[in-house]
Amino acid sequence: MTAFIYPATPHQRKHGPRGYVDYSSFRPWLRDEFSFSCIYCLIREQWGRVTGDFDIDHFIPQATDPNLTTDYDNLVLSCARCNQVKLSQHVPDPLTALTVHHLQIQPDGSLECYSREAESLVLKLDLNSPEMISWRLLWIRIIELARENDTDLLNQLMGFPTNLPNLGRLRPPGGNSRPEGIANCYFSQSERGELPAVF
Ligand SMILES: [Zn+2]
């Protein structure tokens, strides 16, 4: 476990809520879907002051296709910083392009890209700026220190938030195209005592 690691495989959507007229209603689903982390830069809710206060990014910008504004499969969980940098840019799909086969974080905090898609995303999201590199180094160091000296702090920073959304209680107006995901949501795992201390 390190502070930053992109997924090993492309992200397969677990959930499929439908029919909310306000896209912010998808927030609990997206928090669980993307493990309480920004899909672009990997910052975690647990590293900020207010958990659950991330933005919802429209992969295809709302201005490009308003019909996708409330399409769950067009929504990703993003930190405010990345959402504001992306704005209405068209970018490669982060669900497939942001995996360890496409890019990895180096010990100096920079991102090394192995594909054009990842290069494009890093450029458009400005993920290799000096500020982002020094921010990554800071968190790599914080997590290392916590691991060496303070297990409680490590569990707080690398564990799950306490306000896990209970997705099984939600009733999307248009149903759920992937109902099998409910049993694997983090709240359900927690209820079964299966939630790992850190992730
Ligand atoms: Zn971000």
Side-chain angles (χ1 to χ4, degrees), residues 38 40-41 43 79 82:
C38 173
Y40 298 110
C41 73
I43 189 173
C79 73
C82 288

Side-chain angles (χ1 to χ4, degrees), residues 13 57-61 65 68-69 71-76:
R13 296 246 175 195
D57 175 51
H58 293 80
F59 169 60
I60 306 285
D65 190 346
L68 295 178
T69 298
D71 183 332
Y72 183 72
D73 287 2
N74 189 46
L75 305 176
V76 297

Side-chain angles (χ1 to χ4, degrees), residues 38-43 54 78-83 127 132:
C38 173
I39 191 162
Y40 298 110
C41 73
L42 300 179
I43 189 173
F54 276 31
S78 164
C79 73
R81 180 261 171 212
C82 288
N83 194 31
L127 294 174
M132 288 299 287

Side-chain angles (χ1 to χ4, degrees), residues 3-190:
F4 301 99
I5 185 155
Y6 283 98
T9 56
H11 183 92
Q12 306 277 348
R13 296 246 175 195
K14 292 186 285 188
H15 307 304
R18 302 277 178 229
Y20 292 118
V21 293
D22 177 356
Y23 71 81
S24 66
S25 300
F26 290 98
R27 178 181 298 279
W29 302 89
L30 292 163
R31 291 180 67 220
D32 189 274
E33 181 82 57
F34 295 106
S35 302
F36 316 98
S37 307
C38 173
I39 191 162
Y40 298 110
C41 73
L42 300 179
I43 189 173
R44 296 174 177 225
E45 287 185 2
Q46 288 295 88
W47 299 354
R49 290 180 300 171
V50 184
T51 60
D53 200 26
F54 276 31
D55 281 0
I56 295 169
D57 175 51
H58 293 80
F59 169 60
I60 306 285
Q62 295 181 75
T64 305
D65 190 346
N67 293 325
L68 295 178
T69 298
T70 55
D71 183 332
Y72 183 72
D73 287 2
N74 189 46
L75 305 176
V76 297
L77 191 66
S78 164
C79 73
R81 180 261 171 212
C82 288
N83 194 31
Q84 282 161 22
V85 173
K86 179 172 171 274
L87 288 174
S88 56
Q89 293 185 94
H90 288 251
V91 300
D93 186 352
L95 275 60
T96 53
L98 294 182
T99 69
V100 291
H101 299 292
H102 289 262
L103 80 170
Q104 282 180 22
I105 290 153
Q106 303 303 302
D108 67 0
S110 67
L111 282 168
E112 189 173 355
C113 297
Y114 312 116
S115 74
R116 286 196 172 190
E117 293 92 335
E119 263 173 24
S120 171
L121 265 165
V122 166
L123 196 66
K124 289 183 171 179
L125 273 292
D126 202 19
L127 294 174
N128 250 344
S129 67
E131 292 79 11
M132 288 299 287
I133 290 172
S134 60
W135 170 76
R136 267 187 225 106
L137 276 176
L138 172 74
W139 277 98
I140 289 169
R141 184 99 179 99
I142 290 170
I143 299 303
E144 280 175 3
L145 286 170
R147 192 199 330 269
E148 288 163 11
N149 300 301
D150 192 334
T151 303
D152 286 345
L153 180 61
L154 181 71
N155 290 345
Q156 185 182 334
L157 294 174
M158 297 299 284
F160 291 89
T162 53
N163 60 344
L164 296 171
N166 182 356
L167 299 182
R169 278 207 176 159
L170 302 179
R171 296 286 175 267
N176 181 358
S177 64
R178 301 183 184 100
E180 66 280 5
I182 296 287
N184 279 325
C185 79
Y186 292 114
F187 182 90
S188 300
Q189 291 183 43
S190 174

